[in-house]
Amino acid sequence: MTTDFRIRAAEVLRIEAAAVEQLQQYLNADFNLACQLIFNSKGKTIVSGMGKSGHIGSKIAATLASTGTPAFFVHPGEASHGDLGMLSVDDVVIAISNSGETAEILTIIPVIKRLGIKLIAMTGNPVSTLAKLADAHLCVKVEQEACPLGLAPTASTTATLAMGDALAVALLDARGFSADDFALSHPGGSLGRKLLLRLDDIMHRSEQVPVVPQTASIKDALLEISKKGLGMTAVVDEQGRMAGIFTDGDLRRILDQRYDIHTNLIAEVMTRKCITANAQMLAAEALQIMQQKKINGLIVVDEAQAPIGAMNMHDLLRAGVL
């Protein structure tokens, strides 16, 4: 008999989606208090959990740390054997236990309380020992697990993870955490490149920048475009300031018109109100502009509107931004 695995999979997704949806009812005063405790803390946020809750806790700690809240994960078993020394009185502890009765978690609570450290509990049982001992309780109760045996943590861990994300993003928003802030903790890989790279890092400079005076002929402009290989050229006035731009696209648009490339001036066919960029613009921002305006390149200008650089989509692709 052939089993259609999709039937059970669809049921799992339905149950877990419902578990996340019902969390909204638990965004109560305790959620606000938990956010406030972390927001006002002068120390770090320590997350702890056992088993599957520990795996979820590790991810929550990582999310907090990458969104402006210094945090790390401590295994409750290791905490009982020396790692509690990592805690300081200015810290906040998030203890995760679906039952609220996990022995390894409850063992370290007296030390946390003795140090005067604020405790946030995430449990599926609001009347559990852990919930009652906490300064703030975040309820992650679910109606049922997606596991048909009701044994493997599935919907409950999904709900806990979602509640952790809600906590982290609420704090991110309250701190005014920006994309630049995010980049500082993600300097590696494509994410860091997208957020930190500026046009000054990738643009063509000096003799590589295609430039012609507005008194040049169309032919001269085409030769400059071919020579520099960026599919465009800046057109400047007598003071060397941007007067316009001429691109491969502009050339295609004038082909059916009666222009003589030898005698007609580039000023007659250039695009005057062109989009430019500055050297400190983020490469990701330049990409967004180019996609919105449906253009393939940008001329970079200084404060006097003189061309100092140029870049196109190929440069963004080579830099890993695209």
Side-chain angles (χ1 to χ4, degrees), residues 115-132:
L115 291 172
I117 295 173
K118 296 299 182 181
L119 174 64
I120 299 168
M122 294 180 69
T123 83
N125 184 1
V127 296
S128 63
T129 303
L130 180 58
K132 291 178 180 178

Side-chain angles (χ1 to χ4, degrees), residues 88-132:
S88 69
V89 294
D90 292 325
D91 294 335
V92 175
V93 170
I94 300 176
I96 304 173
S97 168
N98 188 47
S99 67
E101 303 295 344
T102 303
E104 291 86 351
I105 291 289
L106 295 180
T107 297
I108 64 175
I109 299 304
V111 179
I112 293 171
K113 289 293 185 178
R114 184 175 179 179
L115 291 172
I117 295 173
K118 296 299 182 181
L119 174 64
I120 299 168
M122 294 180 69
T123 83
N125 184 1
V127 296
S128 63
T129 303
L130 180 58
K132 291 178 180 178

Side-chain angles (χ1 to χ4, degrees), residues 10 12 24 39 50-51 99 113 135 137 162 199 222 235 239 242 244 246 248 295 301 321:
V12 169
Q24 294 189 51
F39 186 82
M50 194 71 188
S99 67
K113 289 293 185 178
D135 296 288
H137 175 244
L199 294 189
L222 294 178
V235 183
Q239 286 75 40
M242 281 290 293
F246 189 76
D248 288 340
I295 56 178
V301 298
V321 178

